Amino acid sequence: MLEGITVNAPRETIAPPPLLYQFLEARAGMEFAALLLMLPLLRRSAPKGAGQPVLVLPGFMADDNATWVLRRFLDDIGYSVTGWQMGRNIGPSQPLLDALVARCEKLRRGHDLPLNLVGWSRGGIMARELARVRPDLIRHVITLGSPVRGGPASTSIGRLVQASTGMSEADMLALVKQRERTPITTPITALYSKTDGVVAWRAALDEINPNVDHIEVASSHIGFAVNAQVYRIVAQRLHEPRPQSR
């Protein structure tokens, strides 16, 4: 559920979430139970899609199983939804991004429409990078608790991320600086939670790129994939006309 690289250049110190919030990640089970009760109403009340393509990217160490409920919901309300189909989201990011570019090109040709990307944590970082390098393929990016500032130190599992990617924090920051030379002009909706137990909420705020809307939700980090409020907002944002770059 976490990023192998972070995406904003400023070298700043953001502390990881406090231990209380890390322990509160256990509430994701209650979020899932509440979602199951609310799904029938959410399906009826959510604005409907018309077959537009949506690609959903899982978080760090997760695979498409972790986003199955979200993808099923979006499919039920009228979108053409697919998972990333690349196994667990783990390891160095660049090979994954290269494969995702090829996948998005294929989906773009098949639908004859630009894609909407919904990315959970590290999946959101990859969605942003796809939009950075190939804005012609992407209509809108929605990130769910994705860290974009502060480096791995702004998360509660930063050491695990570094071990997975094989990169030091200095290496990550250098890569970030290089990538940030190209701004992301594709519209981004960034969801964050002040009680996120994995990603410090300030780390999820993008203060660099020109077309980002931030929306606070009440969710655990794990719960972003199974939270009724998140589902409602994602459905609303997918339905809205494409925001214009500022």
Side-chain angles (χ1 to χ4, degrees):
M1 296 155 297
L2 187 63
E3 171 29 20
I5 58 168
T6 44
V7 177
N8 275 12
R11 185 182 295 271
E12 58 185 315
T13 300
I14 299 177
L19 282 175
L20 173 61
Y21 293 168
Q22 296 178 40
F23 286 127
L24 286 175
E25 284 297 305
R27 74 188 189 272
M30 293 184 290
E31 292 175 87
F32 182 44
L35 172 68
L36 293 180
L37 291 174
M38 296 183 67
L39 267 177
L41 177 60
L42 284 172
R43 290 190 186 103
R44 289 196 299 270
S45 61
K48 302 302 186 288
Q52 300 97 322
V54 179
L55 176 61
V56 181
L57 308 180
F60 177 60
M61 296 189 70
D63 59 17
D64 285 331
N65 291 322
T67 64
W68 184 86
V69 179
L70 175 57
R71 287 185 286 115
R72 178 63 184 269
F73 167 70
L74 295 176
D75 184 77
D76 287 345
I77 63 172
Y79 292 93
S80 178
V81 188
T82 184
W84 83 329
Q85 300 176 5
M86 293 169 56
R88 295 170 67 199
N89 190 345
I90 194 168
S93 61
Q94 192 59 51
L96 298 174
L97 287 169
D98 292 341
L100 282 170
V101 168
R103 181 99 193 283
C104 288
E105 288 175 338
K106 183 177 179 180
L107 290 170
R108 175 69 171 86
R109 289 192 300 269
H111 288 277
D112 198 28
L113 289 170
L115 309 178
N116 298 284
L117 304 181
V118 179
W120 175 26
S121 200
R122 190 192 196 199
I125 299 305
M126 291 185 169
R128 288 165 51 100
E129 292 307 308
L130 285 166
R132 189 192 306 276
V133 299
R134 289 299 302 273
D136 57 308
L137 300 176
I138 311 303
R139 173 186 178 271
H140 189 185
V141 171
I142 301 176
T143 62
L144 311 178
S146 297
V148 299
R149 295 165 56 195
S154 67
T155 74
S156 61
I157 57 173
R159 290 183 180 178
L160 181 60
V161 172
Q162 288 180 287
S164 169
T165 61
M167 297 178 68
S168 68
E169 185 168 10
D171 291 336
M172 293 183 184
L173 291 172
L175 180 59
V176 167
K177 185 175 181 180
Q178 178 184 5
R179 288 181 171 174
E180 280 293 343
R181 293 172 183 166
T182 303
I184 303 172
T185 57
T186 301
I188 299 171
T189 298
L191 276 60
Y192 69 96
S193 170
K194 289 188 175 180
T195 57
D196 189 319
V198 176
V199 174
W201 69 270
R202 290 180 179 85
L205 305 183
D206 182 342
E207 297 181 344
I208 289 182
N209 292 291
N211 198 4
V212 183
D213 288 332
H214 297 98
I215 301 178
E216 182 182 356
V217 297
S219 177
S220 64
H221 190 79
I222 297 172
F224 273 108
V226 291
N227 182 287
Q229 182 187 13
V230 170
Y231 281 34
R232 185 180 300 110
I233 292 169
V234 170
Q236 291 170 345
R237 298 299 287 184
L238 286 175
H239 187 262
E240 292 175 0
R242 186 180 190 269
Q244 296 299 312
S245 298
R246 291 195 279 266

